[in-house]
Amino acid sequence: MHIPRKRFGQNFLHDESIIQTILSSIQVKANEHWVEIGPGQGALTSPLLTMGVRLDLVELDRDLVALLKNKFKQLAGLRIHSADALKFDFSSLVEDNEKMRILGNLPYNISTPLMFHLLSYASCISDMHFMLQKEVVDRICAGPGSKKYGRLSVMMQYYCAVEPLFDVPPESFDPAPKVMSSIIKLVPHLQSPVQVKNVSSLNRLVTQAFSQRRKTLRNSLKKLITEDEFTISKIDPTIRAEELSLSDFAKLSNLMQAGLDPVL
Ligand code: SAH
């Protein structure tokens, strides 16, 4: 019997009908290459394995790794990695240039850095399905004009097509978390919907714009965007970050690049 560890963000799924709903929503096909992050005691792993997939598990808790090894003894197509997913080199799992599909009921305390870590391997990933706090799913999927729209929305939508799937109530887990959870589907763009010359400039701009989201762009972006650049962009400097679309942010960040580059 494993006692859930809070510091590893352990909330184990135990509601069979939710587990089935997750499995049917991810549309698993035999022989696909899946990676499950934080498999825990195998609530999602067992049904996934019955579908004939090749599966890599990445689990941090060594006790759970031992439990999983014992539970799924020498199953063909299964590899268990005792590792921290935040530091794991996911490209090491790729076989035959084939893209991987990712699934995880993620530890909530590290979900955002983990998603960004995974996005650095976007070219080897076909899609990702995560259980997150509903609040985080809402923020990722929010668009301009919404109070939830922010850095996480813009950056995630730059990298991926985002789709909220369904909510999962606290009672579906043991122990029950305090908040509502939700499943999200992220599909890394093969080609980004907007042209960005330098992603770190975009990130810097978006972070700065939303760190003072009540201020006008003229004030919040004073150090990054000049009046002339606002004029060229045709973006009104008296509006707030909340009103800019991803393509507006891209436009401004590309101008910012030009300003930083002495050759242009
Ligand atoms: N997927 C299981 C467990 C979810 S709990 C289920 O749905 O029941 C979250 C899991 O992530 C736990 O097993 C926890 O040990 C694991 N975990 C926490 N931090 C991790 C990290 N940095 N890397 C990999 N796994 C981690």
Side-chain angles (χ1 to χ4, degrees):
M1 183 51 200
H2 178 82
I3 298 171
R5 293 195 167 100
K6 217 176 181 166
R7 75 194 149 97
F8 289 153
Q10 294 177 350
N11 297 94
F12 299 113
L13 265 171
H14 73 150
D15 180 330
E16 265 314 310
S17 73
I18 291 286
I19 293 170
Q20 283 316 316
T21 311
I22 295 173
L23 264 298
S24 59
S25 73
I26 62 179
Q27 301 183 351
V28 181
K29 293 188 199 73
N31 297 319
E32 284 174 338
H33 183 187
W34 280 82
V35 179
E36 189 188 354
I37 298 171
Q41 304 179 96
L44 297 167
T45 322
S46 299
L48 205 50
L49 282 168
T50 64
M51 296 168 151
V53 299
R54 283 171 296 129
L55 182 60
D56 280 289
L57 305 177
V58 181
E59 173 57 60
L60 178 63
D61 185 333
R62 293 208 181 101
D63 290 349
L64 288 175
V65 170
L67 182 151
L68 290 162
K69 282 191 171 153
N70 191 39
K71 189 167 180 176
F72 304 114
K73 264 183 210 128
Q74 294 173 352
L75 251 178
L78 176 68
R79 296 185 292 192
I80 304 178
H81 310 271
S82 179
D84 180 348
L86 276 175
K87 296 183 190 141
F88 193 76
D89 175 9
F90 287 89
S91 65
S92 71
L93 304 178
V94 177
E95 292 170 336
D96 306 329
N97 279 328
E98 189 191 21
K99 289 194 180 185
M100 303 174 287
R101 302 190 68 192
I102 307 225
L103 174 65
N105 169 14
L106 296 190
Y108 294 160
N109 51 340
I110 58 159
S111 60
T112 307
L114 188 51
M115 283 187 284
F116 281 107
H117 177 63
L118 283 162
L119 286 171
S120 64
Y121 301 99
S123 62
C124 7
I125 295 173
S126 67
D127 60 10
M128 307 186 259
H129 292 82
F130 296 129
M131 173 91 73
L132 303 171
Q133 283 174 260
K134 179 177 165 49
E135 167 65 24
V136 175
V137 169
D138 289 347
R139 276 168 39 211
I140 293 173
C141 300
S146 154
K147 282 207 167 57
K148 300 201 165 161
Y149 184 59
R151 171 181 178 257
L152 194 59
S153 334
V154 178
M155 294 312 293
M156 292 300 284
Q157 292 171 31
Y158 169 69
Y159 286 109
C160 299
V162 305
E163 188 187 345
L165 295 186
F166 53 90
D167 295 343
V168 180
E171 331 58 278
S172 306
F173 302 87
D174 179 30
K178 289 201 179 67
V179 293
M180 193 69 162
S181 302
S182 213
I183 300 267
I184 189 171
K185 176 178 181 179
L186 303 171
V187 184
H189 294 303
L190 293 174
Q191 212 171 1
S192 175
V194 295
Q195 260 229 308
V196 169
K197 288 187 195 157
N198 183 322
V199 185
S200 40
S201 302
L202 176 69
N203 190 25
R204 198 167 144 215
L205 176 80
V206 173
T207 306
Q208 180 64 34
F210 284 106
S211 68
Q212 298 173 306
R213 61 188 294 145
R214 286 175 196 289
K215 291 196 175 173
T216 63
L217 296 173
R218 175 177 283 134
N219 284 325
S220 62
L221 297 177
K222 206 163 18 198
K223 291 198 182 113
L224 298 177
I225 306 288
T226 63
E227 272 309 307
D228 283 351
E229 286 166 345
F230 275 119
T231 312
I232 298 167
S233 72
K234 301 198 174 66
I235 292 169
D236 177 358
T238 66
I239 63 174
R240 295 172 179 178
E242 209 169 279
E243 294 168 70
L244 294 189
S245 65
L246 169 59
S247 79
D248 293 331
F249 279 115
K251 208 189 278 174
L252 283 179
S253 88
N254 290 339
L255 284 167
M256 185 175 134
Q257 260 310 99
L260 292 175
D261 189 337
V263 180
L264 294 173

